[in-house]
């Protein structure tokens, strides 16, 4: 899908939408962290993705009045992308959120543009300028500062959650890189729908095989937990992703990626405000390193 120019009078709307997406994603990090404290990780991943897939299906049917059809090669590519971007990503994300903090997760999620640049270099042999290499290194160094200066850094498991989160982000980025060619024949909403529905089906099979579905978690009956699941599935995943697709189609990936600087800012603020996570000077240093690193890594 080719980016289209936007009239000057409408640019503020796109900017506002991109900022709202970062707020939604930052709140989603906080919501998932709260959910992992009351639900098993497989339920956190599966229930959220079931809700997200249902919303994306409604959006697709409302627009096209039918579900898309794919050839075998498209199904294979979309299925593998669904495995990486939803199934593996969500299992790792939920596990990482359980072991880590929302503050660390926000910093790691902000590395997405830099990791995308690195993935393009690995998969498509694109040359990375020295300045971008410096930016990628600086971003990772910022996250490392938080890991090694945690109060529990002397424990064996210290940093494990951050490593798991990073692995989840890498699976998502590489999955996205693998389906770039599909965008020439399929629009982003169709691709997103297929990936989420396929990945969610894998999560459901996983849940059925490992959990006793006859005894759903009693915590689901709690109104707060239900609201968190609905928020994460509807606004934190489905609606925000559809908006992100639209923003990329309108202004291009390069400009849209600039708003990732806001993700760790909002994420750290929400983690402190809603979860009571303590902040230290190392978080501020890491935040600066990630923001500067992301800027250099995407120039």
């Amino acid at each position: 899908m080719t980016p289209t120019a936007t009239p000057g009078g409408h640019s503020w709307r796109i900017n506002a939408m991109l900022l709202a997406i970062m707020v939604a994603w930052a709140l989603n990090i906080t919501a998932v962290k709260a959910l992992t404290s009351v639900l098993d990780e497989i339920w956190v991943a599966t229930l959220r993705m079931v809700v997200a897939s249902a919303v994306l299906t409604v959006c697709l049917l409302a627009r096209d009045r039918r579900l898309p059809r794919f050839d075998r090669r498209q199904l294979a590519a979309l299925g593998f992308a669904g495995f990486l971007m939803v199934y593996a990503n969500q299992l790792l994300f939920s596990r990482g959120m359980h072991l880590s903090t929302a503050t660390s997760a926000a910093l790691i999620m902000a590395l997405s543009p830099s990791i995308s640049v690195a993935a393009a270099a690995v998969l498509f042999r694109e040359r990375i300028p020295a300045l971008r290499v410096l930016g990628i290194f600086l971003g990772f160094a910022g996250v490392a500062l938080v890991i090694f200066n945690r109060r529990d850094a002397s424990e064996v498991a210290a940093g494990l959650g951050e490593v798991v989160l990073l692995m989840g982000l890498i699976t998502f980025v590489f999955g996205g890189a693998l389906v770039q060619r599909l965008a020439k024949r399929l629009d982003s909403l169709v691709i997103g729908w297929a990936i989420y529905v396929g990945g969610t089906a894998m999560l459901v099979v996983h849940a059925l095989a490992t959990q006793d579905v006859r005894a759903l978690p009693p915590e689901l009956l709690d109104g707060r937990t239900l609201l968190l699941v609905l928020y994460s599935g509807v606004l934190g995943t489905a609606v925000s992703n559809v908006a992100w697709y639209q923003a990329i189609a309108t202004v291009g990936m390069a400009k849209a990626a600039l708003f990732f600087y806001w993700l760790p800012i909002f994420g750290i603020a929400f983690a402190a405000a809603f979860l009571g996570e303590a902040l230290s000077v190392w978080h501020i240093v890491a935040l600066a390193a990630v923001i500067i690193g992301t800027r250099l890594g995407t120039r």
Side-chain angles (χ1 to χ4, degrees):
M1 190 174 290
T2 308
T4 56
T6 54
H10 297 287
S11 61
W12 69 269
R13 295 182 181 177
I14 297 297
N15 291 340
M17 182 172 70
L18 283 165
L19 197 62
I21 292 169
M22 296 303 120
V23 171
W25 284 349
L27 275 173
N28 190 46
I29 292 172
T30 300
V32 174
K33 177 59 181 177
L35 285 170
T36 58
S37 67
V38 295
L39 293 177
D40 187 274
E41 295 148 23
I42 184 62
W43 287 116
V44 173
T46 304
L47 293 173
R48 292 169 45 249
M49 291 304 101
V50 166
V51 173
S53 296
V55 173
L56 288 172
T57 301
V58 170
C59 291
L60 190 62
L61 289 175
R63 191 192 70 175
D64 298 342
R65 305 296 180 184
R66 63 180 180 84
L67 295 178
R69 294 182 178 180
F70 308 105
D71 59 39
R72 291 183 179 179
R73 296 184 66 178
Q74 290 172 336
L75 279 175
L78 289 168
F80 186 50
F83 171 81
L84 290 175
M85 300 177 72
V86 178
Y87 177 73
N89 169 262
Q90 286 301 318
L91 288 179
L92 291 168
F93 180 53
S94 298
R95 180 60 178 167
M97 289 302 302
H98 177 71
L99 295 173
S100 184
T101 64
T103 300
S104 294
L107 290 169
I108 291 171
M109 294 302 110
L111 294 175
S112 179
S114 295
I115 295 178
S116 296
V117 171
V122 172
L123 295 176
F124 307 122
R125 297 183 180 180
E126 295 182 5
R127 180 177 175 274
I128 305 180
L131 197 60
R132 287 189 177 183
V133 174
L134 175 62
I136 293 171
F137 174 80
L138 189 59
F140 278 93
V143 173
L145 276 176
V146 173
I147 294 174
F148 293 118
N149 287 281
R150 283 174 54 177
R151 294 179 179 179
D152 57 354
S154 60
E155 298 179 5
V156 175
L160 178 60
E162 288 82 358
V163 171
V164 173
L165 285 168
L166 185 59
M167 290 172 58
L169 181 58
I170 290 173
T171 63
F172 187 88
V173 169
F174 272 80
L178 289 174
V179 297
Q180 280 187 4
R181 294 179 181 178
L182 290 173
K184 298 178 181 179
R185 298 180 58 188
L186 302 171
D187 71 68
S188 53
L189 178 57
V190 170
I191 293 173
W193 171 81
I195 288 171
Y196 271 89
V197 169
T200 299
M202 298 177 199
L203 285 172
V204 169
V205 171
H206 186 141
L208 291 175
T210 61
Q211 305 291 315
D212 184 2
V213 294
R214 294 171 298 178
L216 288 174
E219 293 83 1
L220 277 179
L221 300 178
D222 179 67
R224 176 176 175 272
T225 302
L226 281 173
L227 284 176
L228 288 173
V229 170
L230 289 174
Y231 170 80
S232 183
V234 178
L235 293 178
T237 302
V239 173
S240 56
N241 281 343
V242 170
W244 178 249
Y245 300 151
Q246 181 181 348
I248 291 175
T250 304
V251 302
M253 184 63 183
K255 182 176 180 180
L258 295 175
F259 281 80
F260 264 94
Y261 306 145
W262 289 100
L263 182 58
I265 296 174
F266 288 132
I268 290 174
F270 293 149
F274 299 122
L275 300 176
E277 292 187 2
L279 300 181
S280 70
V281 65
W282 293 112
H283 288 107
I284 306 304
V285 174
L287 177 62
V290 168
I291 291 175
I292 296 172
T294 302
R295 174 58 178 167
L296 294 175
T298 55
R299 288 187 66 177

